Amino acid sequence: LTAQRDSEFDLIQFIRRSVGPLRPGVAGVIGDDCAVFEGPFARRFVVTTDMMIEGEHFRRDWISPTFLGRKVCRVNLSDLAAMGAKPFACLLNLGLPAECLGSYFENLIRGFLGEAEAVSMSLIGGDLSRSDRLFLAVTAIGYVDSGEPVLRSGARPDDRLMLIGRLGLARRGLDILGSEAPSDFDRIESEDSLRALVDSEETEAALRAHCLPEAHVEPAVWLQERALAHAMIDVSDGLAADVLHLLEESGLSGKIDEEELRSASGAPHLPLDFLLNGGEDYALVFTCSAEQLARIRREYPKAWPPPHAIGRVIAGEPQLFLCRGGKSSPCRPAGFDHFR
Amino acid sequence: LTAQRDSEFDLIQFIRRSVGPLRPGVAGVIGDDCAVFEGPFARRFVVTTDMMIEGEHFRRDWISPTFLGRKVCRVNLSDLAAMGAKPFACLLNLGLPAECLGSYFENLIRGFLGEAEAVSMSLIGGDLSRSDRLFLAVTAIGYVDSGEPVLRSGARPDDRLMLIGRLGLARRGLDILGSEAPSDFDRIESEDSLRALVDSEETEAALRAHCLPEAHVEPAVWLQERALAHAMIDVSDGLAADVLHLLEESGLSGKIDEEELRSASGAPHLPLDFLLNGGEDYALVFTCSAEQLARIRREYPKAWPPPHAIGRVIAGEPQLFLCRGGKSSPCRPAGFDHFR
């Protein structure tokens, strides 16, 4: 982070005071031209970057600064999880309108840092600027100690397609915000307040899925460390779109079983389109052999969201089929595209 | 980079086709959730991030897409240089208005990649989105093989303050654009066209300094490899502001000699304020002992911009003085602050 005079300096000082001790492997500190980290610390580093732009990815009247800070952190953690990597360090770029200084800025930073520090990810750099629209761009660095990160391209014919996490709820949450947003929802800064605000468990689950998606870091690292996933991806665009990405990178075909999908989704009451093309689910899809699946069934910790089989990888050109009642039909993704 | 359907997919395909072969140490490829690089490849990695936002950092009618892509790359390279680090890999976030698709986008990417590949820096990831205003956020990763990166905090009492590169010209270039911009300047995509457009060498140098600042990567790496700099910083906010940052991190005082500064600046005809507080100079300031300076004078390659002494580090509270004719007065920086 580059310190400048006066108010930019103050913003940076607030961040400096708010960050906890640096994690092992990070050698440098905020206050230089770059952050420094030790190469030999890890066998492999992985790095990802994701943006959230006001008007494109979020509306300020639909999410509180605390939840926004937490969400942008989790969205990036989900990409690390998709590689089976442990969180290591991150950088935060903020474009800030005048109305987002002061307590808005402080809540945003606290939300972000709370999530980062919960998984031992150090904030090591960033850049701040004024901007007409609020935007956040996070770069997250992860690592693996042994073995290789889990790629999209590793699927094998006859692998099972597995799902960890829930589908469609984030989309349902977005619909609720668009039609019947609880008043003052953008001031809800804690999960307790969210719970107190809404009367139905379903509404709460949907709003929480939209604002505070789960990044399945622990299950993903568990799978990578035991070499129990051939290929993995996180579901951000929509299940169908992201499974197809995995199949394309692996050069294989695949099928999803509608009944298994409904039961695995955690939201069987939602329209099928929400489950297949919801967007922002941040569930985890991975593929594994029958032997790997047997070991997962024996050893996977009971406390975590369970992995469910939803389909199968098959030999053939990259495409995706949906099976119901013994019949199979092509499944074309309708995931979100910022440029369409 | 996350591939999505249709036009976002097309933009990513253009980038994929345009990038050269991956450099050693980068293990992963575009097309997964994260890029992968080898930890043991380097003793230390350094990482930095810098944004350029339309309306805050640039105007689209004052710079061509090629030059903008080149500039945002060089701005980040300058931060790597400030650590004495070799460029390694980078990630590029783009927020794109509708008018910046098509050939604008392609020229921007070509400009960026040309600069990155000239210093063996691989583009390994990024994120694309629509946005009202064009913005670019780059994360750059560098490395050092042996020794430690050069920090701001390493200056010692009696070190010489040294300058590589020119001062004030970028500010002069900005002034020219504000008052007498050559018509169609935003269509100038090459240095040859820039040369042909303007009749005075001084104007050309100023416009070039503003659009295409030099990142002094080779001199910086040369100094780090030989342990010939105690502390280093790049001049982005303004010489006075950035020297003060270095002094603050080192817990020392310093003085700049006005006569030495004028002669070192490469632009002695410009107002002193331009030299001290110009902004966007991307010159390099480092500190070294008399012994280190003697070796630099003997061995520093003649083909590079020469290092010039401009002052001295002295014991005392962090502050900066300007000396002229044997008299010394406090020098308060007036560098740019996005929030002031």
Side-chain angles (χ1 to χ4, degrees):
Chain A
L1 284 161
T2 308
Q4 292 184 334
R5 304 294 82 192
D6 299 340
S7 53
E8 184 169 349
F9 182 76
D10 295 338
L11 297 177
I12 292 169
Q13 284 304 102
F14 177 81
I15 297 175
R16 278 184 159 194
R17 281 196 313 270
S18 306
V19 296
L22 289 172
R23 57 155 299 135
V26 174
V29 294
I30 292 177
D32 224 299
D33 295 283
C34 298
V36 183
F37 58 100
E38 299 169 14
F41 174 79
R43 174 172 160 74
R44 295 284 183 266
F45 288 102
V46 306
V47 59
T48 183
T49 185
D50 254 311
M51 299 186 288
M52 290 186 66
I53 306 173
E54 187 181 349
E56 296 288 332
H57 301 84
F58 68 91
R59 289 173 51 157
R60 251 193 286 152
D61 53 345
W62 285 5
I63 191 165
S64 68
T66 304
F67 280 12
L68 183 62
R70 293 178 69 178
K71 181 171 181 175
V72 76
C73 188
R74 289 182 177 203
V75 164
N76 280 274
L77 287 174
S78 183
D79 276 325
L80 298 185
M83 309 292 284
K86 296 182 186 133
F88 180 69
C90 60
L91 301 95
L92 175 62
N93 289 328
L94 285 177
L96 292 165
E99 321 87 78
C100 297
L101 302 178
S103 65
Y104 191 99
F105 170 79
E106 294 180 6
N107 287 333
L108 186 69
I109 294 296
R110 283 196 199 100
F112 181 86
L113 287 176
E115 292 293 326
E117 288 173 4
V119 293
S120 300
M121 180 166 75
S122 287
L123 178 67
I124 60 172
D127 193 13
L128 302 177
S129 178
R130 286 298 281 272
S131 168
D132 278 358
R133 298 263 188 119
L134 179 60
F135 74 82
L136 309 93
V138 174
T139 298
I141 303 171
Y143 69 103
V144 303
D145 292 319
S146 64
E148 292 291 337
V150 187
L151 304 182
R152 296 178 179 180
S153 55
R156 303 179 194 176
D158 293 325
D159 272 0
R160 298 306 305 263
L161 269 175
M162 306 292 298
L163 175 75
I164 293 175
R166 301 170 83 180
L167 296 173
L169 280 169
R171 164 78 173 279
R172 172 79 187 112
L174 188 63
D175 280 2
I176 293 171
L177 289 174
S179 61
E180 36 170 323
S183 68
D184 282 345
F185 184 70
D186 58 336
R187 291 164 192 266
I188 298 296
E189 308 271 3
S190 77
E191 284 160 281
D192 286 345
S193 315
L194 172 59
R195 201 169 300 123
L197 185 76
V198 292
D199 45 14
S200 108
E201 231 171 81
E202 197 217 314
T203 303
E204 186 206 331
L207 290 174
R208 183 204 302 265
H210 174 72
C211 294
L212 294 175
E214 295 289 337
H216 301 284
V217 173
E218 283 186 312
V221 168
W222 188 91
L223 290 167
Q224 188 278 334
E225 284 180 336
R226 287 158 189 78
L228 290 175
H230 284 151
M232 194 148 59
I233 192 169
D234 73 320
V235 179
S236 53
D237 297 341
L239 179 76
D242 287 314
V243 168
L244 192 55
H245 291 155
L246 183 150
L247 295 171
E248 282 166 346
E249 293 295 327
S250 296
L252 289 167
S253 187
K255 60 183 179 188
I256 289 174
D257 183 281
E258 186 181 323
E259 207 171 313
E260 285 184 340
L261 171 63
R262 281 204 176 278
S263 137
S265 69
H269 57 288
L270 291 176
L272 185 63
D273 180 50
F274 279 33
L275 307 186
L276 286 171
N277 302 307
E280 293 204 296
D281 296 305
Y282 301 105
L284 211 54
V285 166
F286 66 98
T287 82
C288 63
S289 66
E291 295 71 37
Q292 287 172 318
L293 181 55
R295 187 169 161 206
I296 291 168
R297 293 226 155 103
R298 283 196 308 274
E299 300 179 16
Y300 185 88
K302 296 278 173 289
W304 296 344
H308 293 292
I310 57 166
R312 198 173 281 278
V313 177
I314 44 186
E317 289 299 295
Q319 54 187 317
L320 182 62
F321 298 93
L322 187 68
C323 311
R324 60 188 119 190
K327 280 172 61 182
S328 183
S329 54
C331 175
R332 281 185 202 83
F336 186 72
D337 183 331
H338 288 289
F339 295 92
R340 197 159 47 195
Chain B
L1 285 161
T2 307
Q4 293 182 334
R5 305 294 82 196
D6 298 340
S7 54
E8 184 168 347
F9 182 77
D10 295 338
L11 297 176
I12 293 169
Q13 285 304 104
F14 177 81
I15 296 175
R16 278 183 160 195
R17 282 197 312 272
S18 305
V19 297
L22 290 172
R23 56 156 299 134
V26 174
V29 293
I30 292 176
D32 224 298
D33 294 284
C34 298
V36 182
F37 59 99
E38 298 168 14
F41 174 79
R43 174 172 160 73
R44 294 284 182 266
F45 288 102
V46 307
V47 58
T48 183
T49 186
D50 254 311
M51 299 185 289
M52 290 186 66
I53 305 174
E54 187 181 349
E56 295 289 332
H57 301 83
F58 67 92
R59 288 173 52 156
R60 252 192 286 152
D61 54 345
W62 285 4
I63 191 165
S64 68
T66 305
F67 281 13
L68 182 61
R70 294 178 68 179
K71 181 171 180 174
V72 76
C73 188
R74 290 182 176 202
V75 164
N76 280 274
L77 287 174
S78 183
D79 277 324
L80 298 185
M83 309 292 284
K86 296 182 187 130
F88 180 69
C90 60
L91 301 95
L92 175 61
N93 290 329
L94 286 177
L96 292 165
E99 321 87 79
C100 297
L101 302 178
S103 66
Y104 192 99
F105 169 79
E106 294 180 7
N107 287 334
L108 185 70
I109 295 296
R110 283 197 199 99
F112 181 85
L113 287 176
E115 292 293 326
E117 287 172 5
V119 293
S120 301
M121 180 166 73
S122 286
L123 178 66
I124 59 171
D127 193 14
L128 302 176
S129 178
R130 286 297 282 273
S131 166
D132 277 358
R133 298 263 187 118
L134 179 60
F135 74 82
L136 309 94
V138 174
T139 299
I141 303 171
Y143 69 102
V144 304
D145 291 319
S146 64
E148 294 292 337
V150 186
L151 304 181
R152 295 178 180 180
S153 55
R156 303 180 193 176
D158 293 325
D159 271 0
R160 297 306 305 263
L161 269 175
M162 305 292 298
L163 175 75
I164 294 175
R166 301 170 81 179
L167 296 172
L169 279 169
R171 165 76 174 280
R172 173 80 186 112
L174 187 63
D175 280 1
I176 293 172
L177 288 175
S179 60
E180 36 170 324
S183 68
D184 283 344
F185 184 71
D186 58 336
R187 291 163 192 266
I188 297 296
E189 310 270 4
S190 77
E191 284 161 280
D192 286 345
S193 314
L194 172 59
R195 200 168 300 123
L197 186 75
V198 292
D199 45 14
S200 108
E201 232 172 80
E202 197 218 314
T203 303
E204 186 206 332
L207 290 174
R208 183 205 302 265
H210 173 73
C211 295
L212 294 175
E214 295 289 336
H216 301 283
V217 173
E218 283 185 312
V221 168
W222 187 92
L223 290 167
Q224 189 278 333
E225 285 180 336
R226 287 158 188 78
L228 290 175
H230 284 151
M232 194 148 60
I233 192 169
D234 73 320
V235 179
S236 53
D237 297 340
L239 179 75
D242 287 314
V243 168
L244 192 54
H245 291 154
L246 184 150
L247 295 171
E248 283 166 343
E249 294 295 328
S250 296
L252 290 167
S253 187
K255 59 183 179 189
I256 289 173
D257 184 280
E258 186 180 324
E259 207 170 314
E260 285 184 340
L261 171 63
R262 282 204 176 278
S263 138
S265 69
H269 57 288
L270 290 176
L272 185 63
D273 179 50
F274 279 34
L275 308 186
L276 286 171
N277 302 306
E280 294 203 296
D281 296 304
Y282 301 105
L284 211 54
V285 166
F286 66 99
T287 82
C288 63
S289 67
E291 295 72 35
Q292 288 172 318
L293 181 55
R295 189 169 160 207
I296 292 168
R297 293 226 156 103
R298 284 195 308 273
E299 300 179 17
Y300 185 89
K302 296 279 173 286
W304 297 342
H308 292 291
I310 57 165
R312 197 173 282 277
V313 178
I314 44 186
E317 290 299 295
Q319 53 187 318
L320 182 62
F321 298 93
L322 188 68
C323 311
R324 58 189 118 190
K327 279 173 61 183
S328 184
S329 54
C331 176
R332 281 183 202 84
F336 186 72
D337 184 332
H338 288 288
F339 295 92
R340 197 157 47 193

